[in-house]
Amino acid sequence: MTISAPRWDMTNVYPSLESKEFRSAFKKYNTQLKNLETFFAKRVSKAGAKTNTKTLGKLLGESVDRFNDIFVLSGTLGSYIYSFVTTDSRDKLAMRTLSEFEQVQVRQSMLNTQFQAWVGKLGKSALAKAIKTNPSAASHKFALLEIAEQSKYLM
């Protein structure tokens, strides 16, 4: 009598790595990153410590909201992909999908670093005032102040 290894049922997340639902979510992730890249290039990168406080608060809040959406989706996608890779290292589709995902994640990481640098350049005073003007920024006050502090150590 042989006993087969247990399998996880991941269909409550996506039907499969090849499903239209998974592909659609992966496409949405790419689109969210592209939109955030455009947002940074056209709006965030042009703002600084001398920008109107309400405008700065709005940019901070929108950035936080966009990053949160990206983190939620990428966390779901990543966990889903890793559930296949970690249980079957010979699954070529899962390995190929992981490689694709990791390449896209590089863009996310670069955007996160840009955001950290930008927040750090605002200065404590401008940042503190701007945070107070936006609910999303205010609810992430500790994280934003910590990002500003840690930005000193970016290379």
Side-chain angles (χ1 to χ4, degrees):
M1 175 191 231
T2 59
I3 299 172
S4 61
R7 294 278 183 212
W8 291 352
D9 180 9
M10 298 302 294
T11 57
N12 63 327
V13 182
Y14 301 109
S16 73
L17 288 169
E18 295 174 309
S19 70
K20 66 180 180 182
E21 294 87 352
F22 177 78
R23 285 286 143 207
S24 176
F26 200 94
K27 184 177 180 182
K28 181 179 178 182
Y29 176 50
N30 268 304
T31 301
Q32 286 178 337
L33 286 172
K34 184 177 182 178
N35 290 343
L36 187 57
E37 288 166 342
T38 302
F39 177 69
F40 264 78
K42 292 186 176 181
R43 298 194 45 219
V44 174
S45 66
K46 295 177 180 6
K50 295 182 181 182
T51 301
N52 174 287
T53 302
K54 282 194 177 265
T55 302
L56 205 53
K58 185 176 179 187
L59 290 172
L60 280 166
E62 191 170 341
S63 295
V64 164
D65 292 340
R66 287 177 183 236
F67 270 112
N68 282 342
D69 290 343
I70 287 170
F71 290 148
V72 167
L73 184 55
S74 68
T76 302
L77 289 168
S79 297
Y80 183 75
I81 296 165
Y82 276 107
S83 74
F84 292 95
V85 171
T86 58
T87 57
D88 183 359
S89 62
R90 294 184 188 119
D91 185 336
K92 292 187 186 309
L93 174 61
M95 294 302 285
R96 186 172 56 251
T97 305
L98 176 61
S99 179
E100 285 178 52
F101 180 70
E102 287 175 337
Q103 289 175 40
V104 176
Q105 273 192 310
V106 169
R107 291 172 45 215
Q108 180 180 333
S109 179
M110 289 171 43
L111 283 167
N112 194 42
T113 302
Q114 287 175 19
F115 180 68
Q116 290 173 352
W118 177 72
V119 169
K121 288 179 186 174
L122 295 178
K124 284 184 179 182
S125 177
L127 180 60
K129 289 176 187 173
I131 286 172
K132 291 177 184 176
T133 68
N134 183 277
S136 288
S139 66
H140 291 78
K141 178 181 177 179
F142 176 80
L144 290 168
L145 294 174
E146 188 65 20
I147 285 170
E149 179 65 28
Q150 294 300 314
S151 71
K152 295 187 266 185
Y153 307 108
L154 289 173
M155 289 189 189

